[in-house]
């Protein structure tokens, strides 16, 4: 059974990102305070790398099954796919929670402190919407994988896409708002 064809995963144009240079001269102490956000992102980076490793390993196993789908192998794949799916689901929920906190607390605090950050914060908001759409899609795939474990190969592609997207978002966010967070004394 081959994986279902699906519409392309959403993404964005990095070149269209607005940028501010207003905080380029912020002192090292303020910059260090704002870098707490980077430490939080590093936690998600590590988690995503681990999820990708597990999902990739199961996907390779699924492909190795080839045409000879013996019952025992299928049971093994089903159990492995379920475990990988649950690990993946947990991390996706954590990433979603991180973005909801930024939307509800961090971005409004920065907007209040410096309205000049508006275009950057609007863009970060838009990127959260795109990431959320990918997370919803991943959630649907996890449901499918529970029914058809061989679709773990689709899950692996979607996790890789999520990782690329989040790395791009984390870097942009760190580059643009770590210094303002520190400069305005906004706790992360
Ligand atoms: Fe964000
Ligand atoms: Fe973030």
């Amino acid at each position: 059974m081959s994986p279902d064809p699906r519409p392309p995963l959403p993404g964005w144009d990095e070149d269209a990102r607005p940028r501010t240079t207003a905080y380029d001269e912020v002192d090292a102490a303020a910059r260090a305070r704002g870098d707490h956000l980077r430490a939080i992102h590093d936690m998600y980076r590590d988690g995503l790398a681990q999820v990708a490793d597990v999902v990739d390993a199961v996907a390779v196993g699924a492909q190795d099954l080839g045409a000879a789908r013996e019952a025992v192998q299928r049971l093994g794949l089903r159990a492995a796919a379920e475990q990988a799916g649950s690990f993946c689901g947990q991390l996706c929920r954590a990433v979603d929670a991180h973005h909801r906190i930024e939307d509800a607390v961090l971005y409004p605090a920065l907007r209040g402190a410096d309205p000049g950050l508006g275009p950057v914060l609007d863009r970060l908001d838009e990127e959260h919407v795109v990431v959320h759409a990918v997370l919803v899609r991943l959630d649907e795939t996890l449901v499918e994988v529970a029914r058809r474990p061989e679709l773990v190969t689709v899950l692996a592609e979607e996790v890789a896409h999520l990782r690329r997207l989040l790395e791009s978002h984390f870097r942009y966010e760190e580059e643009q708002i770590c210094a303002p967070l520190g400069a305005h004394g906004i706790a992360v």
Side-chain angles (χ1 to χ4, degrees), residues 89-113:
Q90 280 173 32
L91 193 83
C92 287
R93 284 190 289 279
V95 167
D96 212 35
H98 171 68
H99 283 183
R100 273 188 276 117
I101 290 167
E102 288 179 340
D103 288 339
V105 182
L106 223 57
Y107 296 174
L110 280 168
R111 255 180 229 281

